Amino acid sequence: MLPVARTWYEVEHAGDGIDRIHETHVAGWMRCNMWLVRGRSHDLLIDSGMGLKPIKAEVVRLRERPVTALCSHCHFDHIGCAHEFDERLGHRAEAAIMASPDLDNSCARAWIGGELLTALPAAGYALSSYRLTPAPLTGYLDDGDVVDLGDRAFNVLHLPGHSPGSIALYERTTRILFSGDAVYDGLFIDNAWHSDPEAYRHSLRRLRELPVDTVHAGHYGSFGRDRLRALIDAYLAGGQRIADVAQFMQEETA
């Protein structure tokens, strides 16, 4: 029997006016990075976790000023708390899923179970009851758009492949990239129901040429340009991917 968690979210300062938030008791191989970017006019929350506990109630800073929720893509581990925010931005290609997410279209069914949690969000909670709350997008972002926070601006990159509407944010002045799940320091996924490996290769080739100093990804730790290129090169050479989800989960929980 798992214990009930005393705290669910952990906040770490990442520098450059950025905080990383994650769900402490979600297993590391699934735990999403949520990035809170502070701006002059408002803040930006990039991704919102699984939604096992409300995020605004636990992360005090999110109650201090307006926050826009940006969805890097529509998979369950990134959109769980999006409905808590009045402004929700993402790519139009995934609007239907955001408006009506279920265990299949959000890719949750293949991943929910096993040893996903190290503690419970509430007494008596069971993963079998996991569901997502609809969070229709209130605005759309596409390649070339700019997200302006008043004192800093991020260029939107549409990077299909992992999912059709995957987007990343790039800040030219700091050379910071928020990559979502387009690239992270782990094995990539290109075989979800709506993945497109050929589009993914094109997106990764594009990222490889981007003048980046820091990548804040959707999972695992942050890294620099050399590691970005090494990860992309490994995938383009035929590696760096999860071929079988069930086998991967079995190995991670062994």
Side-chain angles (χ1 to χ4, degrees):
M1 177 70 68
L2 293 176
V4 177
R6 299 182 65 178
T7 59
W8 193 255
Y9 294 101
E10 182 177 349
V11 181
E12 302 171 351
H13 299 298
D16 298 298
I18 299 165
D19 294 330
R20 182 177 79 136
I21 306 167
H22 63 248
E23 296 172 282
T24 308
H25 299 289
V26 174
W29 46 270
M30 177 53 65
R31 185 184 303 142
C32 166
N33 291 326
M34 296 164 268
W35 298 102
L36 180 65
V37 185
R38 296 191 291 274
R40 183 174 62 206
S41 60
H42 63 288
D43 291 349
L44 181 70
L45 181 67
I46 302 170
D47 293 333
S48 61
M50 288 183 61
L52 295 169
K53 292 200 74 169
I55 196 169
K56 292 175 74 173
E58 290 207 18
V59 182
V60 174
R61 181 168 184 80
L62 297 184
R63 296 183 297 187
E64 293 179 351
R65 60 189 303 164
V67 177
T68 297
L70 184 145
C71 304
S72 70
H73 63 297
C74 64
H75 291 168
F76 74 102
D77 49 323
H78 293 260
I79 65 171
C81 291
H83 65 280
E84 297 183 44
F85 301 91
D86 295 332
E87 187 175 13
R88 301 178 295 272
L89 305 178
H91 197 276
R92 188 183 296 271
E94 298 182 356
I97 296 174
M98 294 297 299
S100 185
D102 60 39
L103 297 182
D104 294 306
N105 64 19
S106 70
C107 296
R109 193 176 302 277
W111 293 92
I112 294 294
E115 298 180 26
L116 183 61
L117 303 181
T118 60
L120 300 178
Y125 180 80
L127 270 174
S128 59
S129 68
Y130 179 77
R131 298 294 185 273
L132 289 156
T133 301
L137 296 174
T138 62
Y140 303 118
L141 296 172
D142 206 344
D143 201 79
D145 289 343
V146 175
V147 177
D148 190 347
L149 302 185
D151 58 345
R152 60 195 311 178
F154 295 88
N155 292 88
V156 177
L157 306 175
H158 179 212
L159 301 169
H162 176 73
S163 72
S166 286
I167 57 175
L169 294 184
Y170 176 63
E171 188 173 36
R172 296 183 189 278
T173 56
T174 60
R175 295 162 61 111
I176 289 173
L177 175 71
F178 292 98
S179 65
D181 278 7
V183 61
Y184 46 75
D185 199 356
L187 299 177
F188 301 170
I189 296 174
D190 63 1
N191 54 5
W193 71 272
H194 54 184
S195 296
D196 182 338
E198 184 57 37
Y200 200 10
R201 287 190 287 271
H202 176 78
S203 293
L204 290 175
R205 290 189 186 101
R206 184 181 180 195
L207 282 181
R208 193 184 187 284
E209 302 309 314
L210 198 67
V212 169
D213 286 341
T214 304
V215 180
H216 293 315
H219 296 274
Y220 307 113
S222 300
F223 50 93
R225 191 179 188 189
D226 289 346
R227 183 60 178 160
L228 172 66
R229 288 187 162 191
L231 290 163
I232 291 172
D233 288 347
Y235 175 82
L236 294 177
Q240 202 61 38
R241 64 184 294 272
I242 296 176
D244 185 281
V245 170
Q247 181 180 346
F248 171 81
M249 293 177 63
Q250 184 177 11
E251 291 172 354
E252 289 295 319
T253 58

